[in-house]
Amino acid sequence: MPAAEPPSETPAGVREVKSAARTVELLEVLAARGDRPARLRELAEELGVPRSSMYALLQTLIDRGWVRTDTTGSLYGIGIHALLTGTGYLDSDPRVRVVRPYLDEASEALGETIHLARLDGADVVYLATRESHEYLRTFSRVGRRLPAHAGALGKALLAEAVEQRLPTGELAPLTANTHTSAATLAAELAEVRARGYAIDREESVLGIAGFGFALRYDEPAVDAISCSVPLARLTEEHELRIVAVMREIRTKIESAAPRASGAAQWR
């Protein structure tokens, strides 16, 4: 009989609760699949769980609204309570509340798509978006996740990061223009630090340029704002105006978002 695996521990040294970890892993898998529902067999195999255990977990989460199933009971997707929890995160975050009106201001001034995103591990997650009213425009959504090395938002934050946060080895490309080596990325991050903002020219989406600005109300910065614009509409004059406006917006946000005395500082 094989020896039992030792219990895993969290970074804080607390023993991990396996049932909770399995539940979170399942929800993350379903969320990552987007509009591709999963079958019981697929989920059991991906998470290395017996089908009977996976079925029981799915039924529990269905009853509580975290997972949904189709009329046949054979397909599973993320449930509406995941949306409610995500909305609660945004509504409770003081940084997001401070930044939102400045995103409106940038959108009105530039007529382009404006984003707020946060660094989460090796990715950035979109927390707020103001879409351009132009017919030709970029599209994004709150909750979207992108590799930090592949866009202006992520590069702006990686340029501010401590060494332990920088990606290593081969990097996954999103387009032919995405950095695929840590060495070339590091060289550009040095340019970003010298320039004060990051530029993405078709690195994450073909036909789209982005200009990212880290928000330095935390050290190292974990939030950034950006302006995305179709290359077909990006003249030299428009680029200069984007940079000038976004720099001004960053300064306003950083001035309006000091650390509140006694407020919780989330990690």
Side-chain angles (χ1 to χ4, degrees), residues 70-149:
D70 69 336
T71 55
T72 69
S74 61
L75 296 175
Y76 301 93
I78 197 72
I80 196 168
H81 277 218
L83 172 62
L84 299 177
T85 301
T87 301
Y89 175 87
L90 295 175
D91 290 344
S92 68
D93 191 281
R95 302 301 198 203
V96 175
R97 289 199 301 271
V98 167
V99 172
R100 278 171 174 159
Y102 296 103
L103 300 184
D104 294 334
E105 183 178 340
S107 176
E108 292 172 6
L110 296 171
E112 302 294 353
T113 300
I114 311 297
H115 303 292
L116 165 69
R118 180 163 294 164
L119 192 65
D120 180 37
D123 300 332
V124 290
V125 179
Y126 287 74
L127 302 182
T129 293
R130 299 294 183 267
E131 296 286 358
S132 169
H133 297 300
E134 297 287 341
Y135 176 76
L136 181 62
R137 62 187 185 273
T138 64
F139 291 93
S140 190
R141 68 180 187 278
V142 172
R144 181 189 185 199
R145 177 182 291 270
L146 283 179
H149 68 272

Side-chain angles (χ1 to χ4, degrees), residues 55-71:
Y55 181 78
L57 178 55
L58 286 167
Q59 295 309 308
T60 299
L61 293 174
I62 288 169
D63 289 343
R64 295 178 177 270
W66 284 90
V67 172
R68 59 180 174 175
T69 187
D70 69 336
T71 55

